[in-house]
Amino acid sequence: MEDSWNIQEAMLSDVLVSNVYNQFFQQNQMLFKDKIVLDVGCRSGLLSILAVEAGAVKVFAIGNMQSAKGISKVLENGEKAEVFEPLTGCITQVVLPCGLRKVDIIVSEWMGHALFADSLFCQVLYARDKWLVKNGLIFPSAANLYIQGISLDRELAVEKNVLLWDDYVNQKSLMTEKCLVLSVDLSSIQDDIECQRAEIKMKSKQSGKMSGCVLYFDISARNAKGQLQKLFSIAPNAPRTYMMQTILFLKDDPLVIKEQQLLFGRLDVILGYFAPRGVEFSLGIWAVK
């Protein structure tokens, strides 16, 4: 399960997200002490290292073997070097060593663009159903996906011949209030979610031409008190992280809207193996006169 999304360096250089993860592990060490942990994807390797430092008795990593080798090198001269163990091969073929059947915790930097594109979402659900003990922990476990109308030069889309790409959206480009598209909790969500359909209702904040929408999300995890704790957001008004927002341009001409006008729409998110980056998006927006 080698990760095709080569962002290891970007993840490790993101001080904001790294500090958030580090603080969570330090404040919730009791969750990881003497536990068996599985890192699905092992993208930057940071979560594996933090789990080792938090007192896990064993940390297995599936996925990015380049990161896994880097973790082994970091730990090789320490007393906890034997705690970390990479597992090679596709996640559907991996067998846990020493006759182990279950793990206590799954950690994964599973989020992709617009949450699902280039993500490890399905892999984490597979690992959860196969190996996670009952009431086991997934970190991070929850996410909210939002949509907001924007005004951008549509010539950018024409020049690139695409209606979707990732960028940082300026707050001045926001035309509407945000709308919650969907909430995901990996601890409880079912795995038959190939298609997610969300009804959209937004109110415009200003008059003008709305050329598309921006998708972004926030991430949370359950702490030692059982509370859902927000970790970070990639919203346009939040500090920048290694992850950008996802822009969806309207297929037709920009939508002319007035201030305080209600907008309705529908967003389909289809997870599939043959779509670009593994996900298809379908967006329709209309204004109430």
Side-chain angles (χ1 to χ4, degrees), residues 130-145:
K130 186 173 183 178
W131 292 303
L132 189 63
V133 298
K134 185 177 181 180
N135 298 322
L137 174 70
I138 299 178
F139 176 87
S141 59
N144 294 312
L145 182 65

Side-chain angles (χ1 to χ4, degrees), residues 100-158:
L100 287 173
R101 294 180 177 273
K102 296 292 181 179
V103 300
D104 301 300
I105 300 172
I106 291 175
V107 298
S108 178
E109 295 166 289
W110 59 271
M111 302 79 66
H113 301 287
L115 204 56
F116 297 108
D118 285 325
S119 77
L120 298 173
F121 177 74
C122 294
Q123 288 88 334
V124 171
L125 294 188
Y126 178 90
R128 178 200 68 181
D129 295 342
K130 186 173 183 178
W131 292 303
L132 189 63
V133 298
K134 185 177 181 180
N135 298 322
L137 174 70
I138 299 178
F139 176 87
S141 59
N144 294 312
L145 182 65
Y146 298 94
I147 191 169
Q148 204 162 353
I150 56 173
S151 176
L152 288 178
D153 185 357
R154 200 174 183 280
E155 291 301 315
L156 295 172
V158 175

